[in-house]
Structure formats: structure tokens, C-alpha cells
Amino acid sequence: MHFARREIDGLIEYRVSWEGYDDVTWEPEEHLQQCPDKLAAFYSNPDTEAQGCAYYGHHKDVCRCGRPIYHIGQDECIFKAFSYSSNQWSINGVRGLRKKTEGPGDMVSAMQDEIRGFGFPMNGDELKRVNDFRKKRGRAELDTSPGVRFLNYGKGRDGYWDYDHFARQVGDLMDAMEVLHPDWQMLLEVDWSSGHAKHLEGALNTNAMNVGYGGGQKVPRETTTPVDPDEAKRYLGRYNPQLKPGETQFFEFREGDDPPFNDPNAPKYDAAPGLDGNKRNRKGQRVVKEGYVGKAKGLAQIAWERGLYRPADNGKSMHGNRKVDPNEDAEVLSWSLRHVLSNCFDFANEKLALTRLVESRGHILRMCVKGHPELAGVGIEYSWGKAKQKFRRDVNDRKPKHLRRNVIKCFSREDECLPVARVRKFARKTRAYRRAYREGKPNSHADVEKLVGKFKSHRSADTFDTAFCYAD
């Protein structure tokens, strides 16, 4: 499927050529709702990016760079029906009975900013305007603001929160932003959980590749090295690269290719069971020797073709271990296939699926620092801490059928739990932490590491900064 784009009377249509068919048609966006990744990839294509959009490569028709930034933070949180406060009355040292488990729960994905506050609240008129915008584009109407989404998670319920759920929420949020704040550019800040770091099909992602060829790994898209020798150095190494500047590297073995460099006797095609030379597994069954033609090359072959596969030395050889400390010295890291390839220009600049989705509408996505909830976007971790404190102490009646109603009460502005003023206070706290790290406020590297260790050991702000979260 291939796209082009036009606009007629304010409505966008896409010129679509369908795989397997000769027909070429112009389709409205509502006819392409089943292929959002294709649309996102079209808008992120470097061949169609805006002239002068030096940072994000937005499509020239959607680029919003240069407009005021509307900063939104997002995070997920779970509320459970039988959650209790840690403080409880006791009589003669005896406390009331508690449930053995915390019971069923709701997962909440919420947005927060310093203009509208927690949950991107919208009044009835604003919701109508957004739905009118969506109706013209063939999208379903929204019942509530996209700033808060619930999921009754679990097997046999609504499933589990993943990239597809979040992508729908982000798409709805961008619709609301473009109607209610058309002269702004959204900066959406998220963490690395819940599928936020998913890659598109065919992405250059070393974590989805095996060391050797074949197996269940998917085949990434091909990539072309620059013609300029100096530019090509960002792709090629010094160990006799087979790939030359200007050549295209394919990530699967094609007909006519030589066998893998580290398995020169590999058969061209899968060997039939029962032939001499096939191995047996522990059950005595013959094991098919996998052929290489049509199979993914794997990390080792790709690195070898680029001249990045370091020859064995004193018993050391390159490995594909996933857990490699990026703070190790260069000598240690140079033996890791994943680390070496991940630092190639094309791998390092591969965009996440969520990045492509957000940038396809001219906005910006930023990923939070891992292991530092005190730095999460617009102080949303502090808002979760305040909401959970109210839920446990004041609102939760421990009845599963009232769970969602009780959770919604914790997001209310009217009872002063999460008014805009408090959200802004939380956002200032987050900015203060960021300045401390950026400006070197800790007295030594040891102080920084102490903070890192402390924050890594906790999942939410109400644990590491309880007093601040609960203060009025």
C-alpha cells in the first residue's frame, strides 16, 4: 500500500495504490483507519518532510514547529478495590480484618498539563466542537475527554493496556488539541512502559534480532549507506566491510547470496527430516537444518557485512547479550553486537511507532528518563500520589462495583483534590529536580548515584516524597 495526499474543500484525501491490485484510488481518511502505521510512516518519510524542519522531519503539510509549546505529561496508574490506607485504627492492639488481596482493579491512563490541569478536562461545548471535527473525518464520537481512559484490566475482562490502546488515546488527544488549541504544538512526554517503546513492522531494532540467522526473528527493512565516504563511516567499521558506500544492505539472505560467514556449510534451503547429517533432539526426533535463503540474517551477519564484527582475541568473541551496562568502558562495549549496531546512524535514528504517530500530526514526543519518577512529565507522578492518598483514606468503600466511581472522585477539581493550582505546584517540583540534575546541584557523582538508587527503588511519587504529595 502506497500513499500520496491532497486537500479538497478542507477535507484530506489520500491517493492509495493497493498491494496486489492495479487500481489507484483517492480515499478519505476514514477509509484508512485500519492502517494507522502506514499513515504515520508516510508522514515521517524523509522524502516528504518540511523544508526547514531541522529537528523532527515533519511532513511539510503538518509541521507546527515555531508555534508555542503545549506541554502534556502522561502516565498510567492502577487503583484496586480493596486498597487500604497504611494508617488504621486499632483497639487494644487489634486491627480490623483486611482482605487477603487488593481485589479487582482499574488501570487509568491520564494526561496532565499546566493550562487545563489533570485529565485534559473539556466542557460540553468543547466536546461538541471536537466531535464535529471528528465526524468530518469519519471518526467515532467521543463520550468524554481523551485526557483520562479507563481499562478494567485482566484476563476475561478488557485485556491489558498496550500500544494499541494508547495510540488510540493519543490520536483522540491530538484531535482535541487541534480543535481547542490550533495555534499550539503539543509536546507529549511519556515513560517507557506499556508498549510506548514499540517499533513499527520492519524497524531497525537490535532487541528484535537474533545473533544468528533464521529462527522466529522478523526481517527489518533494507537500508542504504551514504555515497559520501565520510558519511558512510557512521554505518561501516574497520574490519574489512563487505558493504561499500552507496550500496543497499538487505536484512535477509536472497537467492544468490553466499552462506553466513560464521556457518559456511549451512544449506541453502531447509533440509528435509531424515537426511544424513541432521541432528536429533533429546526426544530422538530428527532436527531440520534450517536453510539461509529467505531468512533474516541476524546481528552477526549484519555486523560482519558492515565491517563491525571484531575478530576473536584471547578467547573473547562478540556476543549478543541483551544486558550490557552502557556505562562500561569502550573496550567492554566493543564486544557487544547489540551495542555496536545500535550506535550505527540508521539504527540509532530509527523512530518508535509512537514517535511516528505523534510527528505525523506535526507534534513532538519526548520519552522520560528511566527510573526517575520525580522527573516524569509535568509532575504527573505527584498527582497520582495525591489521588491515591485520597482514594485510600477518604473515598474507597471497598466495593468493586463502586470502584470506577470512587476513582473519578479522586480526580475532581471541586473538592480541591487536583485543582489546576496543585497541578502547577507539582509541575514546578518536577522542574526543580530537572534543574538540580542539569545544573549539577549534587555535590559529587556519588550524590547523584545515591539519588538514582533511591528513586529506582520506588515506582511512584507518593512513596519517595510522601509529605509533599499529601500537603494541602
Side-chain angles (χ1 to χ4, degrees), residues 11-78:
L11 296 180
I12 296 172
E13 291 183 343
Y14 297 88
R15 183 178 181 272
V16 181
S17 60
W18 303 91
E19 292 180 359
Y21 298 90
D22 295 330
D23 296 340
V24 176
T25 61
W26 286 95
E27 305 287 345
E29 188 173 345
E30 60 263 28
H31 291 178
L32 306 175
Q33 296 301 306
Q34 301 304 314
C35 49
D37 290 348
K38 295 284 187 181
L39 281 172
F42 165 73
Y43 279 110
S44 299
N45 187 341
D47 295 334
T48 59
E49 67 184 20
Q51 295 295 324
C53 185
Y55 297 105
Y56 304 102
H58 296 126
H59 186 280
K60 63 183 185 304
D61 292 336
V62 299
C63 181
R64 294 170 173 268
C65 294
R67 302 184 186 184
I69 294 293
Y70 194 112
H71 189 189
I72 298 178
Q74 183 277 342
D75 194 26
E76 297 93 8
C77 188
I78 291 177

Side-chain angles (χ1 to χ4, degrees), residues 239-242 259 261 299-309:
Y239 300 109
N240 189 27
Q242 307 300 302
F261 83 100
L299 294 168
Q301 181 71 20
I302 295 299
W304 178 76
E305 291 178 2
R306 295 186 179 211
L308 296 169
Y309 195 89

Side-chain angles (χ1 to χ4, degrees), residues 23-24 30 46 48 63 74 102 117 133 143 155 168 174 255 335 345 360 371 410 434 445 460:
D23 296 340
V24 176
E30 60 263 28
T48 59
C63 181
Q74 183 277 342
E102 292 189 323
F133 174 87
D143 296 325
K155 189 175 180 181
R168 286 193 290 272
M174 289 191 289
E255 195 71 45
W335 294 102
F345 183 81
S360 73
C410 300
R434 291 185 176 185
H445 179 70
S460 61

Side-chain angles (χ1 to χ4, degrees), residues 41-242:
F42 165 73
Y43 279 110
S44 299
N45 187 341
D47 295 334
T48 59
E49 67 184 20
Q51 295 295 324
C53 185
Y55 297 105
Y56 304 102
H58 296 126
H59 186 280
K60 63 183 185 304
D61 292 336
V62 299
C63 181
R64 294 170 173 268
C65 294
R67 302 184 186 184
I69 294 293
Y70 194 112
H71 189 189
I72 298 178
Q74 183 277 342
D75 194 26
E76 297 93 8
C77 188
I78 291 177
F79 290 80
K80 294 191 175 182
F82 302 147
S83 293
Y84 293 84
S85 171
S86 58
N87 299 321
Q88 224 180 1
W89 286 102
S90 64
I91 301 175
N92 295 327
V94 179
R95 289 187 175 189
L97 293 176
R98 292 193 177 203
K99 299 281 188 181
K100 290 184 177 179
T101 69
E102 292 189 323
D106 263 343
M107 186 168 193
V108 188
S109 172
M111 310 289 177
Q112 175 167 297
D113 66 84
E114 294 183 73
I115 297 175
R116 290 178 173 264
F118 183 88
F120 200 83
M122 297 159 50
N123 60 37
D125 178 65
E126 290 173 331
L127 185 60
K128 183 180 182 302
R129 288 166 54 198
V130 172
N131 281 329
D132 289 343
F133 174 87
R134 291 171 62 85
K135 186 176 180 180
K136 290 180 181 178
R137 288 154 179 78
R139 300 171 190 160
E141 289 190 358
L142 299 175
D143 296 325
T144 59
S145 167
V148 177
R149 288 285 164 85
F150 286 87
L151 184 76
N152 183 19
Y153 71 92
K155 189 175 180 181
R157 297 188 178 95
D158 295 337
Y160 295 92
W161 188 263
D162 58 13
Y163 170 79
D164 293 330
H165 287 100
F166 187 48
R168 286 193 290 272
Q169 183 183 16
V170 171
D172 296 343
L173 177 68
M174 289 191 289
D175 284 345
M177 274 293 305
E178 289 163 21
V179 172
L180 305 177
H181 303 281
D183 297 325
W184 294 69
Q185 182 180 43
M186 180 181 73
L187 169 60
L188 179 62
E189 190 169 1
V190 304
D191 61 19
W192 293 84
S193 65
S194 303
H196 297 169
K198 176 186 174 182
H199 284 82
L200 290 175
E201 188 89 11
L204 303 180
N205 176 20
T206 59
N207 289 325
M209 298 171 66
N210 297 339
V211 174
Y213 75 91
Q217 60 184 321
K218 295 183 179 180
V219 180
R221 60 174 174 81
E222 67 270 13
T223 183
T224 301
T225 57
V227 176
D228 187 322
D230 290 332
E231 292 290 320
K233 290 178 181 179
R234 298 187 293 180
Y235 295 74
L236 307 178
R238 58 191 177 93
Y239 300 109
N240 189 27
Q242 307 300 302

Side-chain angles (χ1 to χ4, degrees), residues 226-286:
V227 176
D228 187 322
D230 290 332
E231 292 290 320
K233 290 178 181 179
R234 298 187 293 180
Y235 295 74
L236 307 178
R238 58 191 177 93
Y239 300 109
N240 189 27
Q242 307 300 302
L243 202 63
K244 307 301 180 187
E247 292 184 346
T248 297
Q249 184 178 36
F250 296 91
F251 282 68
E252 68 175 345
F253 287 102
R254 298 184 298 165
E255 195 71 45
D257 286 347
D258 293 332
F261 83 100
N262 54 357
D263 191 0
N265 297 320
K268 213 171 181 183
Y269 310 104
D270 292 350
L275 296 180
D276 292 340
N278 281 325
K279 299 179 180 180
R280 294 179 181 270
N281 60 22
R282 294 180 179 179
K283 296 181 179 180
Q285 300 167 329
R286 291 191 179 277

Side-chain angles (χ1 to χ4, degrees), residues 278-353:
N278 281 325
K279 299 179 180 180
R280 294 179 181 270
N281 60 22
R282 294 180 179 179
K283 296 181 179 180
Q285 300 167 329
R286 291 191 179 277
V287 179
V288 174
K289 175 64 175 177
E290 189 174 20
Y292 62 87
V293 172
K295 306 295 174 61
K297 290 180 177 179
L299 294 168
Q301 181 71 20
I302 295 299
W304 178 76
E305 291 178 2
R306 295 186 179 211
L308 296 169
Y309 195 89
R310 186 175 180 180
D313 182 27
N314 292 327
K316 286 185 178 180
S317 60
M318 298 201 77
H319 60 82
N321 296 347
R322 294 182 182 275
K323 294 184 178 180
V324 178
D325 185 353
N327 295 318
E328 288 280 5
D329 60 49
E331 171 64 20
V332 173
L333 293 174
S334 67
W335 294 102
S336 167
L337 286 166
R338 297 188 194 279
H339 177 81
V340 169
L341 280 176
S342 293
N343 282 279
C344 288
F345 183 81
D346 48 353
F347 279 86
N349 288 276
E350 186 71 33
K351 293 181 179 180
L352 303 174

